[in-house]
Amino acid sequence: MIGLGTWTGKVHTMFFSGNVTFTIGEKNGAYDFSMNLPEGATKLPEFSFREIKEEGDSLLAVAEVSLLPGKTIDIKLTFTGDQMNGYLKIPFLGKIDLNNFSRVQA
């Protein structure tokens, strides 16, 4: 499994700009994701991951979010050492870049 650990970095969207923390773990042989915004930020809607697969040094995922029923979010995360880059493609919002995220915990 690749990318396991806790990753932090800044994101900029029309609704939120600031630090975001992702945790990528393993649960019963499958990937387990969680995402946290700083205290005081808008609460995240519920996410569920339909597909997560490895492709070289990247994780590709398809997620659904409670606020967008019937729509999916495409996610690509690429790992190089203790750095992560990638994006989320969210319907109606567009592409959110995840650049220069650092691993803060393995």
Side-chain angles (χ1 to χ4, degrees):
M1 298 186 106
I2 62 172
L4 298 178
T6 300
W7 303 84
T8 189
K10 291 188 183 290
V11 296
H12 303 286
T13 72
M14 66 173 78
F15 299 109
F16 172 80
S17 288
N19 287 325
V20 174
T21 302
F22 286 96
T23 300
I24 303 170
E26 179 271 331
K27 187 175 186 177
N28 299 325
Y31 281 101
D32 185 40
F33 280 84
S34 65
M35 182 170 61
N36 296 303
L37 297 176
E39 196 171 310
T42 304
K43 185 177 177 180
L44 286 171
E46 188 174 322
F47 279 83
S48 63
F49 292 89
R50 248 190 6 210
E51 298 173 32
I52 302 171
K53 65 180 181 178
E54 294 178 11
E55 188 174 281
D57 59 355
S58 298
L59 286 178
L60 306 176
V62 175
E64 294 176 338
V65 63
S66 59
L67 289 177
L68 299 170
K71 304 289 184 189
T72 59
I73 297 171
D74 295 322
I75 303 166
K76 181 176 183 180
L77 306 173
T78 302
F79 304 93
T80 306
D82 286 334
Q83 186 173 27
M84 178 186 80
N85 292 289
Y87 61 82
L88 297 108
K89 282 188 183 175
I90 302 174
F92 311 113
L93 248 165
K95 186 176 170 187
I96 298 173
D97 290 318
L98 306 172
N99 294 319
N100 301 313
F101 274 59
S102 300
R103 187 188 324 246
V104 294
Q105 182 179 340

